[in-house]
């Protein structure tokens, strides 16, 4: 039996959107990368667990301004776009894709370039505390496998998709239906050979606009045959939606549903402008939305009303959507989600008309709290990706995917802080420097604290 490691000090996590739980002098016990105990009373737990020999337990005592929390989940990120992060932020979606993004993604046929960028993006996301990421790669199979190998090598939990697009794309970055389908099948087979419990393939039609009906259906069939995750974009930008409706003669959600692409294992990024009946359909299918507030702002897409989705019973996670989003940090996405929610509230309360504000504004709108936003960044994302039986919070039996956060790393706070204040301060003032250790399935992938080894 491997040694037991116990983290003692402030522990915090969520159990649902509205259930935040914290232990001021708590503990999390870890063995073989899994959580075997959590709570307030370590001594009591130890005496009840006769199989744990106290002499073999290694203890890590967190300090006054540190806390332990679950790792972050980035439910939507384009790994190749890390090469252009922070650039081209002044145009709307379709111009941005054509001018900046497609030319950048086409470069990944160069495997040396791909390795350099993919190595950096996995390093950067881990540094920012992303223990689970759902990555879009590019149309190119060979370099998509390079991304998968990097995630395995660096120990990140990841869903990875070879992007599929066979129409309405530039000549230099488009596939035939056959290439999309065969490439996807080969990718699944090659990824299986890596035999990693952490890295899984995900079916990735880029968006309805760049895939024919035939391709969407074939991808739906592959997902069903292998019981795979699916990821794509939905209802992000008004021009995009207009084209999708024209081409498919149905709603945006309907276009995916006809192809069998709305399942419990599907995440759709954005969902800014969804109609009520589309939300009802997503809910019925068990499909989740990944909220990407930074990207929605940068590309002038609109304000996504997360409360409306959650009220309708749709699971929501958070995404950076690099490089529509300008930061690889989910902490950054979290604080932008809070900003967007406040803006919606202000628009609603000031009754601003025709402002492009929230779709169907709610009368009694309630702003997202920082604890609810923290849920979206952790358990919400894990649920959206149907990996919440493994990760997302500190329930006993889950893998130890965790962060040690130190809010005193840059400057010692000028007074003592409650548990809630530690989290609030981290959310509003923190960055990757405050994340001093990162663990995935018990393996340390960043930081100083050396247990578990
Ligand atoms: N829709 C289709 N492709 C993309 C992309 O790369 N980024 C975003 N934000 N939206 C998309
Ligand atoms: Fe995206």
């Amino acid at each position: 039996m491997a040694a037991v490691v116990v983290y003692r000090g402030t522990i915090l996590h969520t159990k649902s959107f509205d259930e935040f739980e914290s232990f001021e002098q708590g503990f999390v016990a870890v063995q073989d990368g899994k959580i075997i105990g959590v709570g307030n009373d370590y001594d009591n737990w130890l005496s009840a667990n006769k199989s744990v020999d106290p002499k073999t337990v290694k203890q890590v005592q967190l300090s006054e301004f540190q806390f332990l929390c679950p790792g972050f989940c980035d439910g939507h990120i384009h790994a190749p776009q890390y090469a252009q992060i922070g650039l081209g932020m002044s145009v709307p979606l379709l111009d941005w894709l054509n001018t900046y993004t497609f030319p950048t993604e086409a470069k990944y046929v160069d495997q040396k370039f791909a390795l350099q960028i993919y190595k950096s993006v996995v390093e950067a996301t881990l540094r920012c505390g992303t223990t689970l990421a759902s990555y879009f790669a590019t149309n190119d199979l060979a370099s998509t496998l390079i991304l998968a190998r990097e995630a395995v090598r660096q120990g990140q939990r990841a869903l990875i998709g070879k992007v599929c697009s066979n129409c309405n794309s530039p000549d230099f970055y488009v596939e035939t239906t056959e290439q999309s389908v065969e490439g996807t099948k080969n990718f699944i087979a090659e990824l299986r050979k890596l035999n990693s419990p952490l890295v899984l393939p995900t079916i990735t039609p880029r968006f309805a606009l760049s895939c024919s009906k035939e391709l969407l259906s074939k991808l739906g069939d592959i997902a069903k045959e292998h019981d795979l995750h699916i990821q794509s974009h939905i209802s992000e930008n008004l021009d995009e939606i207009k084209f999708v409706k024209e081409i498919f003669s149905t709603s945006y959600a309907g276009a995916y549903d006809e192809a069998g692409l709305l399942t419990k294992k599907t995440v759709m990024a954005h969902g800014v402008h969804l109609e009520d009946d589309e939300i009802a359909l997503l809910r019925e299918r068990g499909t989740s939305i990944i909220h990407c507030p930074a990207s929605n702002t940068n590309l002038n897409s609109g304000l996504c009303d997360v409360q409306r989705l959650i009220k309708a019973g749709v699971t929501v996670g958070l995404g950076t959507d690099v490089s529509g989003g300008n930061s690889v940090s989910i902490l950054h996405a979290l604080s932008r989600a809070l900003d967007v929610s406040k803006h919606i509230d202000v628009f609603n309360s000031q009754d601003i008309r025709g402002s492009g504000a929230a779709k169907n504004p709610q009368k009694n709108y309630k702003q997202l709290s920082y604890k609810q936003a923290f849920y979206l960044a952790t358990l919400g994302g894990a649920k959206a990706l149907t990996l919440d039986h493994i990760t997302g919070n500190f329930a006993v039996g889950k893998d130890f995917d965790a962060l040690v956060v130190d809010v005193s790393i840059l400057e010692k706070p000028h007074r003592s802080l409650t548990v809630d204040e530690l989290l609030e301060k981290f959310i509003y003032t923190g960055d990757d420097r405050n994340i001093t250790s990162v663990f995935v399935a018990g393996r340390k992938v960043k930081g100083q604290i050396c247990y578990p080894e």
Side-chain angles (χ1 to χ4, degrees), residues 48-63:
N49 275 274
K50 299 286 177 238
S51 62
V52 177
D53 176 359
K55 287 196 283 296
T56 65
V57 172
K58 296 176 180 177
Q59 292 203 34
V60 178
Q61 181 63 51
L62 302 177
S63 61

Side-chain angles (χ1 to χ4, degrees), residues 78 81 93 96-97 101 206-207 233 236 270 295 299 321:
H78 297 262
Q81 296 174 20
L93 176 67
W96 173 79
L97 286 172
T101 305
R206 178 169 210 113
F207 64 157
H233 298 86
E236 174 178 3
H270 304 286
S295 169
L299 300 181
D321 194 22

Side-chain angles (χ1 to χ4, degrees), residues 158-190:
L159 293 168
I160 296 181
K162 187 210 94 68
V163 174
C164 294
S165 54
N166 72 341
C167 60
N168 299 319
S169 306
D171 291 346
F172 60 83
Y173 192 53
V174 68
E175 309 165 294
T176 62
T177 309
E178 176 85 5
Q179 283 169 332
S180 271
V181 169
E182 288 312 305
T184 297
K185 287 182 177 166
N186 288 338
F187 177 65
I188 296 163
E190 289 298 317

Side-chain angles (χ1 to χ4, degrees), residues 39-54:
N40 251 331
D41 193 340
Y42 172 60
D43 293 332
N44 195 27
W45 174 83
L46 194 59
S47 57
N49 275 274
K50 299 286 177 238
S51 62
V52 177
D53 176 359

